[in-house]
Amino acid sequence: PRPILITRHGESQDNVRERIGGDSFLSPNGEAYAKKLAEFVTKRLGSERAASIWTSTLQRTVQTGSFITGFPRVQWRALDEINAGVCDGMTYAEIKEVMPEEYQARKLDKLRYRYPRGESYLDVIQRLEPVIIEIERQRSPVVVVAHQAVLRALYAYFMDKPLKEVPHIEMPLHTVIELSPGAGGVYEKRYKLME
Ligand code: F6P
């Protein structure tokens, strides 16, 4: 059966500065991951003719997918990271200091909390629906290069995790999660390609 490979983009310049959202490029570390990912995908899917690489429209995922050759690449706006609205570009420490009520509200209900002029996890889950439908229609493997919140939602869907767990699922950098749908449910394998 066709596997679905999901991964976060390589470490971005904003990850290094601990800023959320934004549209930064990869750090040198993140670029090293992008190259390792290309090698991994070539080895893992080399014999597959029709695989495709899906990214968001943000630079860090496009750049992460850019070293993978031989497969078509598709950009989805629906794969863009959770929109942090007025908090976009801030660090968690800054949000806590400047907007303590917002910080607290999110901590209390991370699933439903919607950033002012931005999104909640529930919003993200909803906008992913067309992507999920398209993934399920695919007959060949898909590599999805996206973002922490978006991948938590996708992973939870395929692994049948309860909604309330979604915002807390561990989604590490520099790791490929291979999901293989089978008779007894979805089988998962993780490949940590680098630190
Ligand atoms: O820090 C990276 C990041 O992708 C941010 O852009 C995003 O706001 C955040 O992770 C989502 O994770 P959490 O919901 O835990 O804040």
Side-chain angles (χ1 to χ4, degrees), residues 82 102-115 118-126 149 152-153 156 161-169:
I82 188 169
E102 297 298 328
Y103 185 85
Q104 208 40 37
R106 187 165 202 255
K107 206 169 153 191
L108 284 176
D109 191 352
K110 200 176 172 187
L111 177 67
R112 284 179 191 79
Y113 171 81
R114 179 181 280 146
Y115 283 106
E119 292 178 301
S120 66
Y121 267 88
L122 287 180
D123 295 330
V124 171
I125 290 166
Q126 195 173 20
R152 282 174 172 153
K161 300 284 182 202
L163 269 187
K164 65 172 177 13
E165 284 179 22
V166 174
H168 309 285
I169 292 170

Side-chain angles (χ1 to χ4, degrees), residues 29-179:
N29 225 6
E31 204 172 307
Y33 176 69
K35 290 174 183 162
K36 287 206 187 249
L37 176 67
E39 266 173 46
F40 174 84
V41 169
T42 304
K43 264 198 214 132
R44 181 68 191 78
L45 303 179
S47 58
E48 300 275 351
R49 272 158 299 147
S52 50
I53 317 299
W54 297 5
T55 68
S56 73
T57 67
L58 298 170
Q59 299 297 351
R60 53 196 188 275
T61 66
V62 173
Q63 208 187 339
T64 301
S66 67
F67 298 96
I68 307 172
T69 52
F71 303 110
R73 293 186 219 131
V74 186
Q75 289 183 24
W76 287 78
R77 193 172 290 280
L79 286 174
D80 286 0
E81 182 54 310
I82 188 169
N83 179 350
V86 299
C87 295
D88 189 77
M90 294 174 78
T91 66
Y92 295 117
E94 285 169 355
I95 299 171
K96 192 173 178 182
E97 196 189 314
V98 182
M99 293 178 251
E101 314 78 24
E102 297 298 328
Y103 185 85
Q104 208 40 37
R106 187 165 202 255
K107 206 169 153 191
L108 284 176
D109 191 352
K110 200 176 172 187
L111 177 67
R112 284 179 191 79
Y113 171 81
R114 179 181 280 146
Y115 283 106
R117 286 193 242 141
E119 292 178 301
S120 66
Y121 267 88
L122 287 180
D123 295 330
V124 171
I125 290 166
Q126 195 173 20
R127 72 154 140 100
L128 279 172
E129 199 177 297
V131 180
I132 289 172
I133 292 171
E134 207 45 53
I135 290 177
E136 294 195 317
R137 273 167 51 178
Q138 297 294 310
R139 285 157 179 276
S140 25
V142 189
V143 181
V144 179
V145 184
H147 307 266
Q148 176 153 256
V150 161
L151 290 175
R152 282 174 172 153
L154 270 188
Y155 177 87
Y157 173 82
F158 287 108
M159 298 306 284
D160 219 6
K161 300 284 182 202
L163 269 187
K164 65 172 177 13
E165 284 179 22
V166 174
H168 309 285
I169 292 170
E170 205 199 331
M171 196 50 66
L173 283 173
H174 303 167
T175 305
V176 178
I177 304 179
E178 179 173 325
L179 302 173

